[in-house]
Each structure stands twice: as C-alpha cells, then as structure tokens.
Amino acid sequence: MKIDALVRSADLSRIGELARQAEGQGFDSLFVTENRHDPFLALALAAEQTGGIAVGTCVASALPRSPMHLAQVAHDLQTFFGGRLTLGLGIGDRVDLEDRFGVASHEAAARMRELVLAVRAIWQAWNDGAPLRFEGRYYRHTLMPPAFDPGPTGWGPPRIVLLVEEAGLAEIAGEVADGVVVAGSPEGAFLRDVVVPAVARGLHRSDRDRSEIELSVALDGPPGSADELHEYVDGHYGGLADRMVVPLC
Amino acid sequence: MTGARAGSVKLDALLSEPDLGEVGRLARYLEDLGYDGLMVPEIKRDPFLPLALAAGPTERMALGTSVAVALPRNPIHLAQIGHDLQTVSGGRCILGLGSQVRAHIEQRFSAEWSRPAARIEELVRALRAIWRCWNDGVPLDFEGQFYRHVRMGEQFDPGPTGHGPPRVYLGAVGEKMTEVAGRVADGLFVHGIATERYLRQVTMPAVERGLAAAGRRRAEIEVCLVLFAITGDTDEEVADAREAVRRQIAFYGSTPAYRPVLEAHGWDPLQAELNRLSKLGRWDDMAALVPDEMVAALSLDTSVEDAGAVITRRFGDLADRVALYGPYRHRPGHWAGLIERLSPRVAVA
C-alpha cells in the first residue's frame, strides 16, 4: 500500500516547505489540489525543492482547460522533473462549472473521456513523433507544426488519474486512465460494490487488466500514526485499494 | 532595488523555453546583469512555470509572459495564475496575453475563434472583475458576451495578493487589437515583425485612439518592442546571425496576420509568395527571398557598443521597454554590454 500526501491549499510561498516535509516523512507522492491556487505552478516549486518524490494534481479541473494546454503543462513538468508527474483530473460540480468558470456542464463524463484520449494523442505526437490527428466529438487537434512540438519528455508520458464519484466516471477511468481516486473517505462497500465493478467493466472495454490501473482512496481526516492508518485502511479497504491519499496538514 | 530610469528605455530578457531546473539561477544571473524584466513567450512550452520558478531567486525584475495564448484558456484559470505569480513575486507579474492566429486556435487548441479583438477585450475585463473579487472583496458578477463568471465560492477565493492585481499587457500587430490594448491594457507587446515605419504610421495612432476612447493617458500604457538583434563576437558570427534573422523574418512574413506590416513597405507581394512556399515547407527558398533592406528595417544590425544609441534614436520616443531577439545560439549574457549603455543604472546592491 502506497501512501500519498495531499496539500489542499497550494500557496506558492509555502509549497516548497510542505513538499520537503512530505518527502522527509517518507510519503510516496505529494499531491496538490486545485481550489484557490494554480496547481501546476505549485508542482513546479514542489518538484524543484525536493529530491525525487513523485508529484501530482489531485485534482486539477479538466473541462475548462484545452487538452493542448493540459498536455503542455504536464509534459513540461514531466520533462524537467524526471518523470515524477501524475496528472490528476476531475470534473467538479455542475454549478461551479457553469457559474464560476462559465462553461457548459452537459455530457461531462463523456467529454472527460475524450479529453483524456486527446491529451494522450498529443503526448504521443510529442513523445513518439506520431502525427497529431485527433478528431473526436468534442475535441479536434490536428495541427502540430514542428516549431510547436517540444519533443519527448525522456521519461514517457505522465500518468493520468481521474477523481470519480460515481460508477459512470469510474468505468471511463477503467477504460482510459492509469488510476482512479475516490475522495471523501468513502465506505468500503461503495468501493467494493460500485467502483471496483465499474473499473473492471472499463478495463474490459479497453482490453486491460486490473494491474494496469491503481485505485486510490483519499481520506478526509488526518492520518494519525502510521500504524493506525494501516489498521484503518486494512479494516475499510483491505484488498480493494492500492494507494491512500491523506491530508498533509 | 529599482533604478531611477526617467527618459530611458527598459531592457527585458526574452527567455524561450528555459530548462525548468535551471531557470531560477538563470533569472538571477539576468537580473544581476541589469535586465529590467524577464519575458517568456509561449511557443512549445508552458510560459508560466518558468516565472513561478524565477520569482524566488529574483528581487527586482518584472516577470512576464510575452505572450501567453489567451483564447483557449478560461479567465478563471488565467486569473488564478496571474494572481499566484503576482503574490509570489511581490507584485512583479506582467500577464502578457495574445490571440495567436485562427488556425492554431481552432486546429491546435480545439478552441473557438471568432471576433478575437472583442473577445480579448472582454477577457481582460473579466480578469479584472475576478481580481477585484479576490483583492477587494467585490462580489463576482461578470456577464459578458463571451464570458460569464457569477459565482466565487469562499473555498476558491485566495484572498488579496498584497500587491494589487498583476499588470495585463496585450500582444498586437493589427489595428483592432492595438486599439483594444489602448483601451484596456497596461501594456502593449508589439511583435518583432513591426518596423519603425509601421509603428509610427499604424501602431501608435491606434494606441492613441484606444487611449482616447477610454479617457486614458499615454503614461498609463507601456509600449514594449521586440527587436531582432544581429550581433556576434566575430564577423562570421555576425553573418550567421544575420542569416538566422533573415530566416525568422521569412517565417513571420509568411503569416497572413502580419500582412499589414509588409503592406506599409510595399512588400505585400512577397507575403503571398512566402505564404505559398511555407505551405510547401521550402524554408531555405523563403529566406532567400527576404531582401537586405527588409532585414535592415526589422533588425538592429550594429555592434553591441552602438546598439544602445541606435535603439534610443530609432525608438526612444516610442518604446518604454525593449527586448532583443536573437534566433541563433548565444550566451545569456551576450548583450550585457548593451544594458549599461541603454539604461545606465546606479550600482545595483
């Protein structure tokens, strides 16, 4: 079981110190969420000020962003910080999308699925020199002149994980993502009866097996001691989750 | 500390796609050389990450994008980035935004292209409304033609920067966008393709019209120029630099959006031919078509020793900031000698 630390408010003046703290305490990854601050700027500082801890968003708001800009910022962090990046994406709530960002919220899960595929197509163009010809229902990316191609990261593409709250998106994550995060200290039964079967259906659709995706559970509360955490996790999520995400502070 | 620079032109360092592991040290070095700002364009890479990494190691330089691609980005995200950079740099952020061109917006970014000048003008107003909400606690209630931001949950409000909002500069070549900059922006980045003649005949009158329409004064906007610099330590290096600049001019000259500049000089037939050849990928042939007079009009083809005087003579009454662009390999400190001459400063502590 891997244990990741989550910073909820990624204030740029503090993120370096928090990242060093997480690395010093032996966490497997340092995640930042997106609420009050840009999460990618925070990750650049977190990565620069640590030795090798994996870093990622948990999660960044996906739908108001162009797949090209998401691909670009994640590609850069992956390139310059040794392949340490996980790109965690989430949909957010409907009212927030419409009233804060002013973007449409319909067909959100289907758009998220296509956005992940678009980001991967862009990374393939940059990493492997594949021609960029992504033509989906919601996104079209067909232009990538050499002057705008940053070339390979040297570390392959970042991992993509999706924050899921219901079976539909969990199935999509099973199909297209490298990981699933279920937030809010979910009941073990929700994981066992809803998330795991949905992920399995998605894996089946893309002809992948369970080892090709990681299932994370994010806890709301502070972790307590490491022993208490492991005991809690075994009791609630034993055999179901691969990783835990716990608040750093 | 900031040097008193009355009557002098500020000099910015243009930094394309720096190594993120090195950019902090590099920024510090450029600041120590005396540069007034560090400007990062958005071409192959994200332009904001280098600025976040440059903020800590520097104290005085402006840190800006010149420019970031605006239209595919949501104003909330741009506001968030600008706000964070303004906070972490202690008020030194310049959020430079540009429209890019239609093909890139639609086919590279999968975003909508229509009425770019009107859209960017509204985007700037949306950014300012979001920043007023965060800095001054004014409820967010922005409903425009293109953008709508009417709710800011407490959990998404970062609170004030402590340094006011970042400055917003717009990249422009055409008259419409230049007028928009005059109306709403704190600064204007004029693309390197603009010649002195175009600046005087087209750009500055458009800036003045924009300023007048908004009841603003010239001092409320910084005009920032990019100049191709043909410099080198040996004759051979200078000759190579000139050919590199010629190629870059051929590339820009092939872009239909920059046609008005070529028209001002009667070079518009060349634009069509460059555009045709660019679609065939014949870059060498394109460079060969760019005449010496065009290279001379678009560049600073002089020694570093004389460059300061040349900039002051040609652009001293137009420009508030200048950045040199050398599309060829050169050291970061290559133009250090120029900084002294262009804008002598009292010793930097």
Side-chain angles (χ1 to χ4, degrees):
Chain A
M1 173 78 66
K2 290 183 175 165
I3 313 286
D4 303 320
L6 177 69
V7 173
R8 284 190 200 279
S9 191
D11 181 334
L12 296 191
S13 65
R14 291 187 63 224
I15 188 65
E17 178 196 330
L18 293 171
R20 284 194 301 274
Q21 181 193 329
E23 183 165 57
Q25 291 176 0
F27 283 102
D28 291 293
S29 318
L30 183 275
F31 285 113
V32 300
T33 190
E34 176 173 11
N35 45 35
R36 297 185 170 90
H37 301 285
D38 182 84
F40 301 107
L41 299 180
L43 290 185
L45 291 168
E48 191 208 33
Q49 293 181 32
T50 50
I53 188 172
V55 297
T57 52
C58 185
V59 289
S61 164
L63 298 182
R65 291 184 159 101
S66 162
M68 185 58 67
H69 276 141
L70 274 173
Q72 178 177 276
V73 73
H75 189 86
D76 288 356
L77 290 168
Q78 180 81 343
T79 301
F80 291 111
F81 296 113
R84 294 151 68 186
L85 185 73
T86 292
L87 179 62
L89 300 173
I91 289 174
D93 81 61
R94 196 185 177 94
V95 173
D96 187 51
L97 280 174
E98 291 182 356
D99 290 352
R100 183 162 62 111
F101 289 105
V103 299
S105 66
H106 65 275
E107 299 175 53
R111 282 193 290 148
M112 179 66 115
R113 175 181 175 278
E114 200 178 290
L115 179 142
V116 171
L117 296 174
V119 167
R120 289 203 198 279
I122 294 163
W123 283 340
Q124 237 171 8
W126 293 341
N127 285 316
D128 310 326
L132 182 58
R133 278 196 211 103
F134 187 87
E135 302 198 49
R137 259 182 82 192
Y138 309 101
Y139 301 106
R140 287 185 79 240
H141 301 277
T142 55
L143 179 68
M144 183 47 63
F148 296 88
D149 180 345
T153 63
W155 308 89
R159 300 168 66 245
I160 297 182
V161 307
L162 299 186
L163 177 68
V164 309
E165 284 159 357
E166 39 78 38
L169 199 57
E171 187 169 332
I172 285 168
E175 184 189 352
V176 301
D178 304 302
V180 177
V181 183
V182 187
S185 300
E187 295 291 329
F190 175 68
L191 236 59
R192 189 180 59 239
D193 301 338
V194 178
V195 176
V196 169
V199 167
R201 287 194 298 277
L203 286 168
H204 180 72
R205 197 178 312 141
S206 60
D207 200 19
R208 302 192 302 162
D209 62 52
R210 176 67 179 81
S211 68
E212 291 176 73
I213 195 162
E214 282 189 310
L215 206 160
S216 289
V217 171
L219 299 185
D220 282 337
S225 73
D227 286 347
E228 281 164 9
L229 177 64
H230 281 287
E231 200 174 305
Y232 178 86
V233 166
D234 286 343
H236 287 72
Y237 310 116
L240 295 170
D242 306 302
R243 311 183 76 106
M244 301 300 302
V245 183
V246 298
L248 183 64
C249 49
Chain B
M1 62 152 277
T2 310
R5 315 299 285 279
S8 69
V9 178
K10 290 178 184 160
L11 191 66
D12 295 326
L14 262 184
L15 202 54
S16 273
E17 280 122 29
D19 181 323
L20 295 182
E22 300 291 328
V23 69
R25 275 187 295 277
L26 183 55
R28 179 67 206 211
Y29 170 69
L30 293 168
E31 181 171 271
D32 288 344
L33 285 179
Y35 277 108
D36 295 292
L38 177 70
M39 298 296 158
V40 183
E42 178 173 15
I43 306 164
K44 297 176 190 177
R45 297 194 181 276
D46 181 273
F48 303 112
L49 300 177
L51 300 181
L53 294 162
T58 56
E59 292 159 19
R60 175 183 59 76
M61 272 198 302
L63 301 173
T65 49
S66 69
V67 289
V69 180
L71 297 177
R73 291 187 160 102
N74 188 279
I76 291 283
H77 283 141
L78 279 173
Q80 198 165 262
I81 289 168
H83 193 86
D84 282 351
L85 291 174
Q86 180 76 346
T87 305
V88 75
S89 67
R92 293 181 285 137
C93 175
I94 290 176
L95 186 62
L97 302 173
S99 66
Q100 249 293 356
V101 299
R102 178 176 210 134
H104 280 255
I105 296 304
E106 291 183 344
Q107 297 163 40
R108 186 155 66 97
F109 290 102
S110 190
E112 192 181 336
W113 176 273
S114 70
R115 303 177 56 208
R119 204 176 274 262
I120 289 216
E121 180 163 2
E122 192 179 296
L123 170 69
V124 175
R125 296 186 194 282
L127 289 174
R128 298 239 168 89
I130 298 163
W131 287 328
R132 269 197 302 275
C133 172
W134 293 342
N135 285 317
D136 310 322
V138 178
L140 182 60
D141 186 19
F142 186 88
E143 297 210 51
Q145 271 184 279
F146 308 105
Y147 300 105
R148 178 172 178 272
H149 309 282
V150 296
R151 172 197 287 259
M152 179 56 61
E154 189 273 330
Q155 74 274 32
F156 300 119
D157 183 343
T161 63
H163 305 276
R167 289 166 280 172
V168 181
Y169 290 19
L170 295 180
V173 176
E175 282 188 89
K176 264 192 189 169
M177 196 68 85
T178 306
E179 263 191 71
V180 168
R183 278 201 295 275
V184 300
D186 303 305
L188 167 71
F189 284 113
V190 189
H191 193 280
I193 193 74
T195 58
E196 183 186 349
R197 181 188 296 177
Y198 184 80
L199 287 168
R200 293 188 188 279
Q201 289 180 355
V202 180
T203 302
M204 294 316 294
V207 169
E208 295 291 351
R209 285 196 301 277
L211 289 170
R216 305 168 73 208
R217 290 169 299 115
R218 172 65 180 83
E220 292 176 66
I221 190 166
E222 274 200 317
V223 174
C224 319
L225 306 184
V226 176
L227 303 176
F228 289 107
I230 298 173
T231 53
D233 293 333
T234 63
D235 289 349
E236 198 186 354
E237 279 181 24
V238 170
D240 288 348
R242 190 175 295 115
E243 292 320 299
V245 166
R246 195 188 302 272
R247 281 177 75 90
Q248 196 68 25
I249 290 172
F251 169 68
Y252 289 139
S254 72
T255 305
Y258 304 145
R259 187 181 178 92
V261 179
L262 279 70
E263 277 172 351
H265 290 265
W267 295 328
D268 32 318
L270 179 61
Q271 201 274 325
E273 181 63 5
L274 290 172
N275 185 257
R276 189 183 72 81
L277 292 173
S278 73
K279 288 176 178 156
L280 302 170
R282 290 168 57 184
W283 305 102
D284 290 332
D285 296 340
M286 287 163 64
L289 292 178
V290 174
D292 288 341
E293 53 154 345
M294 190 168 171
V295 176
L298 279 162
S299 62
L300 199 62
D301 195 345
T302 179
S303 66
V304 167
E305 287 68 34
D306 295 337
V310 174
I311 291 173
T312 307
R313 177 166 46 78
R314 281 167 67 182
F315 303 108
D317 62 325
L318 294 176
D320 300 293
R321 312 184 78 101
V322 164
L324 301 186
Y325 177 40
Y328 45 87
R329 184 174 288 280
H330 58 275
R331 306 182 312 279
H334 187 64
W335 294 311
L338 169 63
I339 302 168
E340 281 281 296
R341 288 173 175 80
L342 185 61
S343 46
R345 78 170 52 249
V346 200
V348 175

